[in-house]
Amino acid sequence: MAAEKGTALILRVTDFSETSRIVVMFSREHGRFSALAKGGRRLKGPFESSLDLLSTCDVVFLKKASSGLDLLTEARLVHRFRPEPNQLNALYAGYYVAELILGLTEDYDPHPEIYDEAQKLLESLADASNLSIKLTRFELIMLRECGQLPDFETCMACGAELTEGRLFGFWPGQGGMICPACQREDYSQIPVHAGTAQLLRRMASNENTAWSRLIPSPQQVKELRAVMLAAVTHTLGKRPNTLKLLRFQ
Amino acid sequence: MPRAIEPNHHAYGRHVGLLVQQLAALPGIGQKSAERLAQHLLDCSEEEAAALAHAILDVRRTIRRCSVCHNLTEQETCDICLDSRRDQGLVCIVEQPRDLLALEATGTFGGVYHVLGGRIAPLSGVGPDDLNLATLIRRVKSGKIRELVMATNPTLEGDGTALYIVNLLADEPVKITRLARGIATGSVLEFANREMLSDALKGRQSF
């Protein structure tokens, strides 16, 4: 067993025995992986109480050749997740990041872009403003990286570009939008105004636009969240637990 | 890790196999330890084995949650809540009964407790409704509580749970404090980690 090194974000910590813990981590180089931290509950030892949810640590671990858990031998805290003080919403947004990565990535499948964006988002939660835009951007990146990004450009029914029309529909089961001409009562669709559709297109684009400066209207926030909840729920196969606690203005 | 043996296929028969299976289901007990414990029980007298079996059954039948603080007790209300020498206006909030035991072992806390029964951990499906918060609110609203001491674990989820409670009780006239953090007495600064030192500096006290 060769020792592997990396910097990892901690996604889940579960007590295993009197002194040990099982830690699920996500690193830029290795993707998501689970490891047993023997003595991980003790204050002293090679982990120095660094194994906390959403902390970033420099880790050394022994990769198991079989399907068993890896063995975490060292962890040194790089930085701890510090949401805006007294802002539960920022804390829950951090939990949501962990839930999305846990649910939408596979073991040992590295996604450097997800790792970088997750770190940027967690850092930005020191200021809990504009949460809907920050989370929508991250959700779109997650969906793109796992090949499930909805199509916001063309109609899922007729294939026409969505340039004309005031009210479109988002159809999660088909993975995209429907133009006004193709909408039918029996389609389970979410109404999306043209402005919100434009926002979604800009935020989903690969180009580094100034998305963080976008200030959506309350109606757009409502529509953005409805679309993203439907898309994420469809991809995960269940409604994310943490979204029950998150509040968007 | 040794593989679990089906009870019916155990070398000593089905009954020993079942015993090993039950013991191996306990936290921290693996297959090998379960085999050793079963071997010990086979070697001990019938009275000793019966005493252990009765102790387990008695615990299950007699222990319940205190109706006031949710600590484990044999009566309707636990000894701590009934103790008139304790300050009933000072309530320490802990996640689990074992945290209460750890604080009691210090012998320095003269108030009473409230056991939440866990912490808010949405990733594990534990939300505020799963904790003993309704009884806490009732206790605070009774007006008899002067101060709440947050003694949830100093983790992200523990701190998050404490913050949730603080927000929940924001309109109540009760003082809310939390346990201090920092370096342990008897340790040396040189070997304290960055976080401990940082917490100790932030929470420094006047002489």
Side-chain angles (χ1 to χ4, degrees):
Chain A
M1 282 190 293
E4 304 271 0
K5 282 183 182 178
T7 305
L9 177 68
I10 296 181
L11 303 177
R12 180 178 283 163
V13 183
T14 314
D15 290 344
F16 175 68
S17 64
E18 280 301 299
T19 56
S20 302
R21 280 179 163 162
I22 293 171
V23 190
V24 184
M25 289 168 279
F26 184 67
S27 90
R28 202 171 194 282
E29 304 83 8
H30 307 279
R32 191 187 75 186
F33 61 99
S34 306
L36 178 66
K38 288 184 177 176
R41 295 182 69 190
R42 290 199 181 106
L43 279 180
K44 288 182 181 174
F47 309 116
E48 292 184 345
S49 61
S50 60
L51 302 178
D52 193 11
L53 189 63
L54 296 173
S55 290
T56 302
C57 302
D58 283 333
V59 295
V60 180
F61 63 100
L62 300 172
K63 207 167 174 175
K64 285 277 170 75
S66 64
S67 59
L69 287 171
D70 295 339
L71 191 66
L72 189 66
T73 56
E74 240 181 279
R76 196 175 59 81
L77 186 72
V78 176
H79 59 84
R80 214 175 271 282
F81 171 52
R82 297 270 189 217
E84 184 171 341
N86 303 324
Q87 282 293 328
L88 274 175
N89 236 12
L91 174 70
Y92 296 150
Y95 290 164
Y96 183 51
V97 169
E99 187 172 11
L100 282 182
I101 299 174
L102 281 167
L104 294 177
T105 60
E106 300 289 329
D107 281 351
Y108 304 113
D109 181 15
H111 287 278
E113 193 178 352
I114 292 180
Y115 179 82
D116 293 341
E117 288 294 329
Q119 290 289 6
K120 270 189 227 164
L121 174 57
L122 292 174
E123 205 175 308
S124 76
L125 292 176
D127 162 20
S129 63
N130 219 4
L131 206 55
S132 58
I133 286 289
K134 289 174 184 171
L135 284 185
T136 301
R137 168 72 180 175
F138 184 70
E139 288 166 323
L140 289 168
I141 287 170
M142 285 290 316
L143 292 173
R144 189 174 67 211
E145 282 289 304
C146 66
Q148 298 287 334
L149 182 67
D151 185 350
F152 299 117
E153 308 278 346
T154 51
C155 173
M156 289 290 101
C158 66
E161 273 198 37
L162 300 171
T163 46
E164 290 185 15
R166 212 176 71 74
L167 188 66
F168 305 112
F170 178 67
W171 194 1
Q174 293 297 313
M177 310 283 268
I178 316 171
C179 68
C182 296
Q183 286 177 29
R184 278 171 42 182
E185 276 187 13
D186 55 332
Y187 291 168
S188 56
Q189 54 195 308
I190 296 159
V192 180
H193 282 90
T196 313
Q198 177 67 18
L199 264 178
L200 281 164
R201 280 195 285 273
R202 283 180 68 184
M203 293 174 70
S205 95
N206 249 338
E207 296 155 31
N208 191 14
T209 56
W211 58 267
S212 60
R213 287 202 294 273
L214 296 170
I215 310 284
S217 69
Q219 176 63 25
Q220 286 175 330
V221 169
K222 209 172 152 190
E223 289 180 4
L224 279 178
R225 293 318 310 157
V227 167
M228 293 322 298
L229 173 63
V232 169
T233 302
H234 182 75
T235 310
L236 274 176
K238 68 177 180 96
R239 188 190 160 98
N241 285 332
T242 40
L243 282 190
K244 289 176 205 157
L245 300 169
L246 263 168
R247 298 280 174 269
F248 296 96
Q249 62 277 36
Chain B
M1 197 181 290
R3 277 180 50 223
I5 302 164
E6 278 292 307
N8 286 332
H9 297 136
H10 197 278
Y12 300 154
R14 185 172 161 270
H15 294 294
V16 178
L18 274 173
L19 177 62
V20 170
Q21 192 183 48
Q22 292 299 318
L23 290 169
L26 295 173
I29 307 281
Q31 187 68 19
K32 264 188 169 178
S33 302
E35 289 279 354
R36 269 197 297 273
L37 288 169
Q39 194 64 52
H40 171 78
L41 291 170
L42 287 171
D43 292 341
C44 71
S45 69
E46 198 174 325
E47 289 76 29
E48 285 174 307
L52 176 65
H54 283 133
I56 293 170
L57 277 176
D58 286 347
V59 159
R60 285 303 307 148
R61 286 175 186 152
T62 58
I63 298 295
R64 61 178 97 167
R65 298 277 172 181
C66 170
S67 59
V68 179
C69 72
H70 302 280
N71 185 19
L72 296 172
T73 176
E74 287 187 3
Q75 303 120 33
E76 175 70 17
T77 309
C78 72
D79 290 340
I80 295 175
C81 290
L82 288 174
D83 192 341
S84 58
R85 291 166 300 175
R86 284 180 172 265
D87 183 351
Q88 301 286 333
L90 179 63
V91 178
C92 181
I93 297 176
V94 294
E95 290 178 15
Q96 298 290 354
R98 58 177 178 269
D99 300 325
L100 183 156
L101 288 181
L103 287 165
E104 275 299 281
T106 64
T108 53
F109 183 65
V112 290
Y113 295 91
H114 190 88
V115 181
L116 294 173
R119 58 177 176 268
I120 299 171
L123 291 172
S124 311
V126 182
D129 296 342
D130 301 308
L131 305 183
N132 300 318
L133 290 174
T135 42
L136 176 66
I137 294 168
R138 222 175 301 143
R139 287 178 82 180
V140 172
K141 283 191 184 292
S142 73
K144 292 174 188 164
I145 295 173
R146 194 178 66 254
E147 181 178 345
L148 289 175
V149 184
M150 293 293 170
T152 50
N153 282 313
T155 59
L156 192 67
E157 287 174 336
D159 285 345
T161 306
L163 180 58
Y164 181 86
I165 296 170
V166 170
N167 286 357
L168 200 64
L169 301 173
D171 297 331
E172 301 298 328
V174 62
K175 182 181 172 187
I176 302 179
T177 56
R178 71 169 197 185
L179 295 185
R181 291 172 189 189
I183 44 177
T185 308
S187 62
V188 279
L189 291 183
E190 189 187 350
F191 295 114
N193 68 32
R194 280 185 303 171
E195 287 242 305
M196 284 177 179
L197 284 172
S198 165
D199 281 339
L201 280 169
K202 280 180 199 157
R204 63 189 185 277
Q205 298 168 350
S206 335
F207 267 111

